Every structure is written in structure tokens, then in C-alpha cells.
Amino acid sequence: MTINNRHRLLLRVGVTVGLVIGTKLFVHFLGWEIISINPLFSGIIAANVFLMGFLLSGVLSDFKESERLPGELAASIENLAQEVRGIKMARDEAAIEPCIVLLLKLSHEILRWFHKKHRTAELLEHLNDLTPHFAAMEKWTQATLVARLKQEQGNLRRTLIRIHTIRETSFISSGYLLADFVTILLSIGLILAKIEPFYESLFFVSVISFLMIFLLMLIRDLDNPFGYYDRYSGEDVSLKPLEDAVGRLGKIASVEASTPKECADQCA
């Protein structure tokens, strides 16, 4: 996550908390503070924090899984490329260049797909385009090697579908609804609560509202670890393993293709 994204999240939280504090000042000067603080109020705050802790633990499990998925994609793509190169090393007449070029094009499409510039269905169709190439290679290599290629293709497909599911599925929508509702009610309660002296009231209102609002926004951000297309998304897993793999694959394609220019034209 970049520093700008961190600042963006803090800015959103700060603006929201500022609105709460501004409303608190307005209500105080009008004398509308009609709620007294009692143990039940603090119990509601504790219950809301517990609910957010439950939501946070749930989204963190998906986030930890998501951290390794770009690396698994990179490993699958590179494994396919190296296995195909091995066929060329054993049989010089093997025409592997179209397959390598297709792998490079697919890797670029995956990077664009992460930013929602490519549809999932189209990406999977292009992944399936590797199957005829693998079938054509059976005359140059053993069936076991082709089977390994198809297995790696299946691993790649499985990882893409898992990423799509995590990206498009929200964790317990009803839990978010409850947390939003309780946070709004607690913020209203803090605004209307009478706490003396007043400067202590501002301190407690700002700290408690900051904690609840920050947790709520953080949980929603963590719920989608692949939000590169969302300008407000700050907590996203790194794509560097995949980007590095695409760079290495580009070098392989430049070597294996008939000319580097031809490879660049086909992958554009």
C-alpha cells in the first residue's frame, strides 16, 4: 500500500470524525445534550467493538490467503513457460513460440484483469486457448509432460476463480449492516451525551468515534484485497511477484520468438 493511500484512508476518517465533533459543538451550544452517560452506554460501545473484532478476524483470514495468490499465479505462469521451453531444448524442431507468446499475452491480461480492465469470462477463455497448443506438443514430447502442463493450467484456472470469488464476495453483509447501524446510533448518542467538563466531552467523543469509524472503514477495505481499481482502496496485496514474473516471461518470449519485434507485435 502506498503512502498516499494511507493518507487517503486517514483523511476520510478524519473528515467523518470532524463532522461528528462539529455536530457535537453545535448541539452543546444549543443546549441539546439530553443523554446521561451510564454503564449501559459503555456496554453498547464494548459490544460494537466486539462485533467489529469478529468482522476483522473474518476478513483477515481471507486477506492472509490473498497475499499468496499473486505469487501462486506467477509460479504457475513461469512453470508453464519453463516446461514448454524444455520441450524446445529436447526437440529443436518443436514449434513452441506461439505458446510462449500466448503465455506472455495472458500474463499481461491478468495484470489488466486485476485492475478490472479485462472481464473474468474472457480471461478464462484465453486461458483455455492454451489447450490446443498443449495438444499439438504431444508429438514432440512425452504424454506425462503434457499432463503436467494441463495440471498447471488447471492450477492457474483455480487460482483465478478463487481471486474472483474473494474480490466479488462481501464477508457477512448483515454483519456490516449491524455494525454500521450501531456505529451511527453510538455517534448520535455521543453527540447528545452530557459530559462535564466540556473539553473532556470533546476528547472522549473524538477518540471513541475515531476508533469505531476507523475500524469500520478498515474492515471494509480489507474485505477486498484486490481493490486496485478503487481509488479509495488502501489495503491491497502486492502484485510485485506477478509483475516480476511477467518481466521474466517477456525476456523468455523475446529469446524464443522468431524475432523480438514479432513477439512485441503479437503481445501488444
Side-chain angles (χ1 to χ4, degrees):
M1 183 177 65
T2 64
I3 294 177
N4 289 336
N5 286 335
R6 288 195 183 101
H7 288 170
R8 189 174 292 118
L9 176 60
L10 288 174
L11 180 62
R12 292 170 59 203
V13 176
V15 169
T16 308
V17 173
L19 290 174
V20 174
I21 297 300
T23 308
K24 176 66 176 178
L25 290 169
F26 180 76
V27 168
H28 174 74
F29 288 122
L30 290 179
W32 290 352
E33 296 171 319
I34 57 176
I35 296 178
S36 61
I37 297 297
N38 57 61
L40 290 177
F41 193 85
S42 59
I44 297 175
I45 295 177
N48 192 40
V49 172
F50 174 80
L51 173 61
M52 290 188 182
F54 166 73
L55 294 174
L56 183 61
S57 64
V59 298
L60 275 178
S61 62
D62 279 349
F63 190 87
K64 294 301 292 183
E65 177 190 357
S66 301
E67 282 183 323
R68 67 172 185 268
L69 293 180
E72 291 183 1
L73 283 178
S76 294
I77 292 173
E78 283 201 88
N79 287 341
L80 285 170
Q82 292 300 329
E83 293 281 10
V84 172
R85 286 187 73 193
I87 297 175
K88 179 73 171 180
M89 294 175 184
R91 300 286 297 273
D92 189 61
E93 70 274 15
I96 68 168
E97 291 82 5
C99 185
I100 292 293
V101 171
L102 182 58
L103 282 172
L104 179 59
K105 183 178 180 181
L106 180 64
S107 64
H108 283 292
E109 289 177 350
I110 290 175
L111 285 177
R112 296 178 66 245
W113 172 71
F114 272 111
H115 293 84
K116 280 203 169 182
K117 296 178 181 179
H118 206 77
R119 296 176 60 85
T120 303
E122 295 175 355
L123 184 64
L124 293 176
E125 287 179 4
H126 292 167
L127 177 60
N128 293 334
D129 290 341
L130 289 170
T131 302
H133 292 279
F134 296 158
M137 292 179 189
E138 290 186 359
K139 59 184 176 182
W140 295 307
T141 187
Q142 300 175 354
T144 54
L145 179 56
V146 176
R148 287 205 305 268
L149 291 173
K150 293 179 179 179
Q151 182 179 7
E152 204 65 60
Q153 181 189 23
N155 293 336
L156 189 57
R157 183 184 296 107
R158 186 180 302 108
T159 304
L160 290 173
I161 292 175
R162 178 57 180 156
I163 292 174
H164 175 78
T165 302
I166 293 175
R167 187 171 67 177
E168 302 298 331
T169 304
S170 180
F171 177 75
I172 311 182
S173 300
S174 56
Y176 285 133
L177 179 62
L178 179 60
D180 289 340
F181 187 67
V182 174
T183 300
I184 292 173
L185 288 180
L186 284 175
S187 297
I188 294 174
L190 289 169
I191 291 171
L192 299 178
K194 185 174 182 60
I195 305 175
E196 296 294 344
F198 182 62
Y199 66 85
E200 290 187 5
S201 173
L202 289 179
F203 174 77
F204 289 119
V205 170
S206 60
V207 171
I208 294 174
S209 61
F210 179 85
L211 173 64
M212 293 188 301
I213 294 171
F214 185 86
L215 276 176
L216 200 56
M217 289 187 177
L218 178 62
I219 291 169
R220 288 188 178 278
D221 197 3
L222 288 172
D223 195 15
N224 182 11
F226 306 105
Y228 315 101
Y229 52 89
D230 185 358
R231 59 176 299 187
Y232 296 111
S233 181
E235 297 290 347
D236 298 322
V237 299
S238 175
L239 290 179
K240 193 173 188 313
L242 183 59
E243 292 168 350
D244 292 343
V246 172
R248 291 190 293 269
L249 188 57
K251 294 178 181 178
I252 294 174
S254 297
V255 173
E256 297 297 339
S258 56
T259 63
K261 183 179 184 303
E262 178 183 340
C263 174
D265 291 342
Q266 294 184 56
C267 296

